[in-house]
Amino acid sequence: MEFAFLSLTEIKEKITSWETTSKEVYEYFLKQIEKNDEHIMAFHHINSDIKEFDSDSLLAGMPLAVKDIFCETWVPTTCASNMLKNFVPPYDATIIENLKQAGMTSIGKVSMDEYAMGSTSESSALKIPVNPWGIGRIPGGSSGGSAAVVAAGMVPAALGTDTGGSIRQPASMCGVVGFKPSYGRNSRYGVVAMASSLDCPGTLTHSVRDAGLLYDIMNGYDQREATSLPGKDQIDPKIWETKDLKWVRIWVPKEYFEAWLDAGVREQIEQAIEQMKDLGAEVKEVSLPMTQYAIATYYIIMPAEVSTNLARYDGIRYGHKSDAPYESMDEMLQNNRTEGFGDEAQRRCVLGSYVLSAGYYDAYYKKATQIRTLIIEDFNKAFEEVDMIVSPVSPSVAWKMGEKMDDPVKMYLSDAYTIPGSLAGLPGISVPCGFAESEDAEKEMLPVGLQILAPQLHEEKLLEVAHVYEQARWFREEAQEKRK
Ligand code: GLN
């Protein structure tokens, strides 16, 4: 039996109706990984032990790929960095614990940008994954491995993290669903920190419904995590029956449709908005004026937090220890950190230390936190009038590997549409909405994602809107045709 490209919900139905068993499903996906990973280059570690599965549990036999940033007991967790190459945690992240309790088996750890810093997964010090939809193209990042393995049918779902777009953007580039809940809903405990006021664990799946299924299991208050939100959110299963958007008011912010948005992407997004109108949604074009400051703000706050979080990797308490000779403590630290961290991590540590330094703190860091508040107010004002905000995820489709590696600013700008929602801690989703031609010589047809953002804590409504759109769009069927 074939399970590649089926959703978790569809596989579960086959198990419940005795058409297959959890074990057969798990073995199938192990073979898929064995067959395809030499092309996709995503797995750092594969869990090939086949245990007995407790078929009564919700996720029995469902193999999830885990971004190599989540701690899992006795499973190497490298963060795609030489710094953590030999790190084997003795504990599970809360999210892993919650999923394991629901019967999930982690089938392995997948590659990413080093410490989740990047938009292409090319900053990995281990494997650099590729996009299954194009030749020599990036899968997006930083959760590029997670998106690529779902898109290639090697697993039905994967875990990722989103700090400034790292779930939504690779989901968009690989044609899968990427969901990041509100900041604080999914515990960060046991997830290696990048920028603590922004990091959000979430999922990459074939369907919105699967995103809801996993979110139900993953979310909830965690006393081990200081920013964890109280309570537990439960998605009402009735939302999967909604068929129209007559009850929804949507804003399309004009700042997200600037000239540098690729024509093909713009066309797909405009079509998606038309389709939402046909489904009954009331759509207005408006302005979110603070959007223009989001990237600058993010690239001050994020590196400030990165430099603080990465300070602990000194090779003494944590991380890689260099064999190079040294004469002073400073020299030893320098050796450990220079060998352990790649270029992007070093760049951000330097930038972060600079904006936090005594002479520049007020001018940069403090200012950025003030602007962050204005960005949040911009969204709050918008959500007094509408229910959702809809936009592109990324200004272009997946580009060629290496294309932006020597121009970090160009790379940073590609996150212009995902970063504002991250700064405001909003729940966001990327739903595949079509294919557009790449604006390079190859002119390949590549997936495009539609971003939907909701007010904080409105995950249920967000998933409902995304699900209605997804059902009307039939993207999975189109993708299946294209794969042939
Ligand atoms: N691409 C963004 C960055 O490099 C976002 C990364 C992320 O969300 N982890 O910071």
Side-chain angles (χ1 to χ4, degrees):
M1 203 179 274
E2 285 284 325
F3 303 108
F5 311 110
L6 291 187
S7 70
L8 289 171
T9 318
E10 289 156 352
I11 297 174
K12 180 73 194 169
E13 271 164 24
K14 291 199 186 299
I15 298 176
T16 331
S17 61
W18 302 100
E19 277 176 72
T20 184
T21 61
S22 304
K23 195 165 167 187
E24 195 183 340
V25 171
Y26 197 80
E27 279 170 349
Y28 173 87
F29 283 107
L30 272 180
K31 287 212 188 84
Q32 282 289 97
I33 295 171
E34 219 171 86
K35 202 164 75 193
N36 295 306
D37 201 46
E38 61 176 303
H39 311 294
I40 302 292
M41 300 289 287
F43 277 88
H44 287 167
H45 173 87
I46 299 169
N47 176 13
S48 45
D49 314 341
I50 314 231
K51 309 170 211 73
E52 286 310 311
F53 298 103
D54 166 15
S55 301
D56 291 336
S57 57
L58 193 60
L59 295 178
M62 305 286 190
L64 260 65
V66 177
K67 183 176 183 180
D68 206 359
I69 196 168
F70 290 89
C71 288
E72 258 186 86
T73 314
W74 308 133
V75 176
T77 299
T78 68
C79 242
S81 179
N82 281 325
M83 191 53 106
L84 286 178
K85 201 165 56 198
N86 300 316
F87 175 54
V88 184
Y91 68 105
D92 279 334
T94 300
I95 279 179
I96 300 284
E97 210 174 83
N98 294 351
L99 287 164
K100 278 187 180 168
Q101 267 165 20
M104 178 274 278
T105 310
S106 144
I107 203 162
K109 302 298 277 285
V110 285
S111 195
M112 50 184 275
D113 278 300
E114 183 177 15
Y115 282 96
M117 299 179 205
S119 310
T120 62
S121 303
E122 292 166 291
S123 74
S124 166
L126 291 104
K127 276 183 167 175
I128 299 182
V130 299
N131 190 323
W133 284 106
I135 301 156
R137 289 190 187 266
I138 55 128
S142 63
S143 309
S146 308
V149 294
V150 176
M154 291 152 77
V155 289
L159 299 183
T161 57
D162 191 310
T163 302
S166 279
I167 288 178
R168 289 161 286 161
Q169 188 257 24
S172 169
M173 303 218 156
C174 290
V176 297
V177 173
F179 174 52
K180 138 204 198 306
S182 310
Y183 177 76
R185 280 286 208 207
N186 283 343
S187 167
R188 290 183 293 110
Y189 177 78
V191 184
V192 179
M194 176 184 162
S196 307
S197 79
L198 293 151
D199 295 345
C200 285
T203 52
L204 294 109
T205 54
H206 286 301
S207 73
V208 176
R209 190 167 178 163
D210 281 1
L213 171 85
L214 294 175
Y215 169 69
D216 261 346
I217 301 168
M218 286 157 71
N219 90 85
Y221 174 67
D222 180 4
Q223 62 175 10
R224 294 173 294 193
E225 207 258 81
T227 56
S228 175
L229 290 171
K232 163 131 188 114
D233 194 20
Q234 205 76 50
I235 302 294
D236 182 347
K238 282 209 211 79
I239 68 164
W240 311 122
E241 266 124 59
T242 311
K243 296 270 183 296
D244 65 60
L245 296 176
K246 286 187 189 126
W247 46 281
V248 190
R249 291 161 308 163
I250 289 173
W251 261 20
V252 180
K254 65 170 194 279
E255 288 77 6
Y256 288 58
F257 290 82
E258 299 293 348
W260 58 308
L261 175 63
D262 279 6
V265 175
R266 177 191 296 267
E267 200 184 309
Q268 291 307 311
I269 302 297
E270 284 172 354
Q271 273 178 23
I273 294 169
E274 281 307 312
Q275 194 157 12
M276 292 181 122
K277 277 190 199 158
D278 292 344
L279 288 162
E282 182 191 318
V283 179
K284 279 199 264 181
E285 197 192 296
V286 288
S287 171
L288 282 173
M290 295 309 291
T291 302
Q292 58 178 315
Y293 304 113
I295 292 195
T297 306
Y298 174 83
Y299 276 95
I300 293 173
I301 293 176
M302 173 275 297
E305 295 182 16
V306 161
S307 71
T308 318
N309 277 329
L310 266 50
R312 75 189 68 160
Y313 303 102
D314 51 15
I316 303 167
R317 291 169 301 166
Y318 296 100
H320 168 79
K321 173 86 182 73
S322 164
D323 291 329
Y326 56 86
E327 272 165 16
S328 66
M329 167 105 163
D330 279 352
E331 201 181 339
M332 176 192 68
L333 293 178
Q334 202 174 355
N335 293 343
N336 296 347
R337 286 169 67 85
T338 310
E339 286 176 18
F341 290 132
D343 290 351
E344 192 56 33
Q346 291 188 31
R347 190 176 294 128
R348 295 189 192 200
C349 286
V350 172
L351 206 61
S353 313
Y354 178 79
V355 299
L356 288 177
S357 59
Y360 296 100
Y361 181 90
D362 284 353
Y364 292 106
Y365 184 72
K366 200 166 153 206
K367 201 60 176 184
T369 56
Q370 288 164 338
I371 296 175
R372 182 179 193 175
T373 306
L374 296 178
I375 293 172
I376 296 173
E377 283 172 5
D378 228 17
F379 278 116
N380 287 347
K381 249 190 260 153
F383 288 129
E384 279 170 17
E385 287 185 46
V386 290
D387 308 293
M388 302 282 145
I389 289 172
V390 164
S391 77
V393 173
S394 166
S396 62
V397 290
W399 55 86
K400 286 282 198 192
M401 288 187 145
E403 205 177 296
K404 296 191 185 172
M405 275 314 262
D406 44 9
D407 189 347
V409 175
K410 211 162 149 196
M411 178 94 87
Y412 299 166
L413 288 172
S414 68
D415 294 325
Y417 306 144
T418 49
I419 280 174
S422 294
L423 287 167
L426 305 180
I429 196 164
S430 169
V431 193
C433 69
F435 289 84
E437 201 175 79
S438 62
E439 292 200 347
D440 47 29
E442 278 79 8
K443 303 209 172 306
E444 280 184 279
M445 290 303 278
L446 298 159
V448 177
L450 174 76
Q451 171 170 252
I452 313 176
L453 296 173
Q456 257 190 0
L457 312 187
H458 284 62
E459 281 79 3
E460 186 173 280
K461 249 189 182 171
L462 175 69
L463 292 169
E464 188 170 7
V465 171
H467 176 72
V468 172
Y469 169 72
E470 177 190 52
Q471 296 301 300
R473 176 60 186 82
W474 291 92
F475 174 88
R476 283 177 70 200
E477 289 70 10
E478 189 179 330
Q480 194 66 23
E481 275 306 304
K482 281 217 157 51
R483 263 182 225 116
K484 283 179 189 159

